[in-house]
Amino acid sequence: MNLSPLQKARYEYQPKLPGMLRNGIADICVKEGKATKSVADQDKIKALFPNTYGKKEITFVKGANTSQAKKQVVGVILSGGQAPGGHNVVCGLYDALKATDKNNVLLGFKGGPSGLLDDDYVKFTDKIIDAYRNTGGFDIIGSGRTKLETEEQFAIVEKVAKKHGLTAIVIIGGDDSNTNAAVLAEYMAAKKTGVQVIGCPKTIDGDLKNEDIEASFGFDTATKTYSELIGNIERDANSAKKYWHFIKVMGRSASHVALECALETQPNICLIGEEVAAKKMSLAQITKYIADAVETRGNNGENFGVAIIPEGIVEFVPEFSKLIAEINELLAGEKTEKFNALPDWNSKYEYIKAGLTKASFKVFDILPQGIQQQLFLERDPHGNVQVSLIESEKLFSEMVKTELAKRKKAGTYKGKFGTQHHFFGYEGRCAFPSNFDADYCYSLGYNAFMLIQYGYTGYLSKVSNLSKPAEEWKAGGMPITKMMNIERRNGKDKPVIRKALVELDGKPFKYFEKHREEWAVKTCFTYPGAIQYYGPAEVCDLTTRTLALEKSR
Ligand code: FBP
């Protein structure tokens, strides 16, 4: 393999563990906290998880090891979208497992949850692990989005686990994958298989967090990567002074990524989906909000700017989600064929007009034609519109353009409006993990093994106090059921981990709200630059503005 100088150097990087884990299992004992209950729907969740509900939170502290010595054979999977640091979770898990007993075994199941079902695995060795230390990506075993949720699937996993003599399974994933981890843990406990299941909180979207889990891994590196790029674009915009850049950033549901990038780069505009939903903003209102900033700046001779648009924004616009729901109905089942058979866009347009309510057609009709067509071209396997594929950065820039043309005619707007569009998502998901993510992920994996060794199941590996230096981080575990409630999914009530959306009374949003009027009209850009891996801690080890603000007094 050809190695870049940075990759070679990163192999040598020794991730920092929380102080209390530094001497390994010999020096660790468990401090039990209070029994937990789910965030909502306690009776229902308790009934669904009779064997794993209500367990105590635990913290590891220094003290004599009281865990039972036994040979461990652990299986691990990476699940869902890539997030920087995934390899280090595996490395931390491997190092803890081998440091505890060199006869312990770690199997990596390939391609995500389906690897467990297909029994497609690799037995990790020092050589394999050493080639992935502190690197980005999930390519060590690959990832996938197969859901582990049916009894039949669990029965297959049970068989595979038995074949390999697995004592535990570690699922590295987001809210859905960890929900499945909780259900699998309950299944394994109910069947008395002796197989423990432990989750690790992953997602660049940052929406798997709560009072216990301070951050999901990957958020730090991904937002730093996007912020570097956004800062570079800001500088370009401020140099050439001729473009407004509309930048969509990933974050399928929550707007944490957009908000963090805004805190890092101070753009002119950043939309926050949760605010749009709370204020029930229409497309026209959002367009006006952006156009006002463009007009003020343009009239001041500043015909450039930067607007950040979160990927999931359109689903937060009430009139737009209603439109999507109606389109899904309009094309349900055989109706898709009928629609596709129409000869041209004009006849399709008439079909749509006749099928939508008046209010939804009005919304449809103001969309640029390219977006209108996207709504009908891109369908998921269930026949639904794939909202994440809608080019919302173009949607808003087009709508702003139309609005500005009116203002120009009316004589209020005197500037010029040239645009560029960008989408930052995949660029950040496999970056070399920042020192924070390298340390945090290694700690999560190392700690996951401690939970296994102490016999816990249905727990999420928890490393907290993250705004402090790693030495002061705390390690322990939290029952996954604590984060669960009942939500309606595909027409059925399901136990799921509650997604953490941006809190409008939280400190990160409040800070943004306080400054955004000034950022909108003045040029207040900040340029975070590239992630630094070597140098002073205040440059290299700092985590996100979001976490710093959340933890500030
Ligand atoms: P996870 O929730 O699985 O971590 O994935 C998040 C994400 O990166 C979103 O930001 C994005 O919308 C989505 O994955 C893209 O998915 P895919 O990789 O399947 O295109």
Side-chain angles (χ1 to χ4, degrees):
M1 199 192 327
N2 289 332
L3 300 180
S4 71
L6 182 66
Q7 187 163 343
K8 272 193 215 154
R10 290 311 277 171
Y11 283 162
E12 303 306 319
Y13 178 75
Q14 185 54 50
K16 299 185 271 299
L17 280 171
M20 80 215 0
L21 294 184
R22 289 186 186 173
N23 292 338
I25 191 86
D27 198 21
I28 293 171
C29 67
V30 171
K31 190 175 148 208
E32 289 195 330
K34 286 194 217 122
T36 56
K37 48 185 184 179
S38 59
V39 273
D41 308 307
Q42 286 89 7
D43 293 342
K44 287 184 185 160
I45 303 284
K46 190 175 175 184
L48 289 165
F49 295 87
N51 296 283
T52 48
Y53 185 84
K55 301 276 184 224
K56 292 176 179 161
E57 278 187 41
I58 68 115
T59 313
F60 290 114
V61 290
K62 277 194 189 290
N65 168 29
T66 55
S67 72
Q68 275 185 2
K70 71 167 184 184
K71 182 180 172 191
Q72 301 281 5
V73 182
V74 178
V76 61
I77 58 167
L78 290 158
S79 181
Q82 284 68 249
H87 287 163
N88 266 25
V89 182
V90 177
C91 296
L93 180 62
Y94 179 84
D95 286 353
L97 169 142
K98 289 289 181 189
T100 303
D101 181 344
K102 63 178 183 347
N103 295 315
N104 287 341
V105 174
L106 183 64
L107 304 180
F109 288 88
K110 294 184 186 170
S114 64
L116 266 174
L117 300 173
D118 303 339
D119 194 16
D120 185 8
Y121 70 97
V122 60
K123 184 175 168 187
F124 285 118
T125 57
D126 288 356
K127 193 168 170 225
I128 300 174
I129 290 289
D130 288 348
Y132 289 93
R133 290 185 188 277
N134 307 302
T135 56
F138 278 7
D139 43 317
I140 188 169
I141 42 174
S143 185
R145 290 197 184 276
T146 304
K147 286 191 192 311
L148 277 185
E149 53 186 356
T150 65
E151 284 278 325
E152 294 75 37
Q153 289 174 321
F154 292 152
I156 298 173
V157 176
E158 187 186 352
K159 225 164 120 191
V160 170
K162 206 164 174 195
K163 176 187 156 199
H164 295 290
L166 292 188
T167 51
I169 297 172
V170 175
I171 296 185
I172 303 170
D175 54 335
D176 279 344
S177 310
N178 279 297
T179 292
N180 298 335
V183 183
L184 181 62
E186 178 61 32
Y187 174 94
M188 292 294 182
K191 291 251 173 163
K192 301 197 184 344
T193 59
V195 180
Q196 299 159 238
V197 182
I198 298 294
C200 286
K202 170 235 72 166
T203 176
I204 63 153
D205 289 3
D207 53 10
L208 174 52
K209 64 173 175 181
N210 50 48
E211 53 174 20
D212 296 288
I213 303 301
E214 295 176 3
S216 57
F217 78 75
F219 179 70
D220 183 85
T221 310
T223 54
K224 282 187 166 85
T225 306
Y226 306 144
S227 298
E228 179 206 348
L229 298 173
I230 295 168
N232 295 350
I233 286 174
E234 287 180 336
R235 207 140 209 174
D236 195 289
N238 199 15
S239 307
K241 301 193 191 294
K242 63 175 180 182
Y243 291 127
W244 265 84
H245 293 264
F246 284 75
I247 305 172
K248 180 167 85 169
V249 291
M250 262 190 185
R252 198 177 2 203
S253 309
S255 301
H256 297 291
V257 172
L259 179 57
E260 170 64 19
C261 292
L263 296 171
E264 288 284 357
T265 61
Q266 304 189 175
N268 305 99
I269 300 285
C270 175
L271 302 179
I272 300 296
E274 290 81 345
E275 183 184 25
V276 166
K279 294 185 174 165
K280 298 193 174 36
M281 288 173 84
S282 64
L283 289 175
Q285 281 170 315
I286 301 172
T287 304
K288 180 179 177 313
Y289 168 64
I290 305 174
D292 285 352
V294 177
E295 180 182 318
T296 310
R297 287 177 63 78
N299 290 350
N300 290 339
E302 307 221 285
N303 290 302
F304 65 95
V306 167
I308 301 179
I309 317 285
E311 183 184 18
I313 188 78
V314 286
E315 278 185 288
F316 284 97
V317 181
E319 59 183 13
F320 204 94
S321 358
K322 189 159 179 293
L323 168 67
I324 303 268
E326 287 189 25
I327 292 178
N328 287 339
E329 275 302 309
L330 198 60
L331 296 195
E334 288 153 15
K335 290 186 239 164
T336 305
E337 249 171 66
K338 195 175 160 197
F339 178 81
N340 289 342
L342 294 168
D344 51 30
W345 178 247
N346 278 346
S347 19
K348 285 180 176 164
Y349 181 87
E350 289 308 320
Y351 178 88
I352 296 161
K353 189 172 179 180
L356 294 177
T357 59
K358 253 193 178 156
S360 287
F361 182 72
K362 213 170 141 198
V363 177
F364 180 77
D365 214 27
I366 57 168
L367 301 176
Q369 200 187 85
I371 302 283
Q372 287 179 338
Q373 291 176 340
Q374 266 175 28
L375 290 175
F376 288 85
L377 288 176
E378 309 282 3
R379 331 280 301 156
D380 73 9
H382 308 286
N384 294 330
V385 173
Q386 288 201 60
V387 181
S388 66
L389 296 181
I390 295 171
E391 293 174 307
S392 41
E393 71 282 23
K394 291 193 182 145
L395 164 70
F396 287 111
S397 89
E398 284 288 318
M399 291 185 69
V400 168
K401 192 169 163 191
T402 309
E403 171 66 19
L404 291 172
K406 284 188 211 152
R407 296 184 186 192
K408 194 142 228 179
K409 227 171 172 185
T412 56
Y413 173 55
K414 302 188 171 47
K416 287 187 199 138
F417 185 59
T419 53
Q420 294 290 342
H421 303 101
H422 316 264
F423 170 37
F424 297 148
Y426 301 98
E427 293 81 349
R429 296 200 314 183
C430 286
F432 274 101
S434 60
N435 285 354
F436 173 84
D437 270 328
D439 299 346
Y440 181 41
C441 290
Y442 188 81
S443 303
L444 285 171
Y446 202 96
N447 182 57
F449 184 73
M450 297 301 145
L451 290 168
I452 293 168
Q453 186 66 21
Y454 268 96
Y456 291 98
T457 188
Y459 276 67
L460 202 61
S461 176
K462 168 181 164 180
V463 175
S464 57
N465 211 23
L466 298 174
S467 58
K468 298 277 167 36
E471 166 70 33
E472 294 170 47
W473 290 357
K474 298 193 169 109
M478 209 211 30
I480 302 177
T481 50
K482 186 181 173 195
M483 303 191 290
M484 295 178 104
N485 65 172
I486 300 285
E487 286 175 24
R488 201 94 187 134
R489 296 279 168 93
N490 298 330
K492 285 191 190 137
D493 280 349
K494 291 251 177 191
V496 293
I497 291 178
R498 185 186 270 177
K499 242 187 214 314
L501 299 180
V502 169
E503 287 177 12
L504 300 182
D505 54 0
K507 287 180 189 160
F509 180 78
K510 285 283 170 209
Y511 182 92
F512 166 68
E513 192 181 35
K514 191 169 152 201
H515 293 90
R516 69 176 160 191
E517 265 176 46
E518 190 191 357
W519 298 354
V521 293
K522 290 191 190 159
T523 301
C524 303
F525 302 154
T526 43
Y527 312 117
I531 295 174
Q532 302 295 307
Y533 298 94
Y534 300 97
E538 66 273 21
V539 178
C540 303
D541 293 354
L542 266 197
T543 182
T544 57
R545 293 292 312 279
T546 302
L547 191 62
L549 285 164
E550 278 170 353
K551 294 286 156 196
S552 64
R553 296 249 166 98

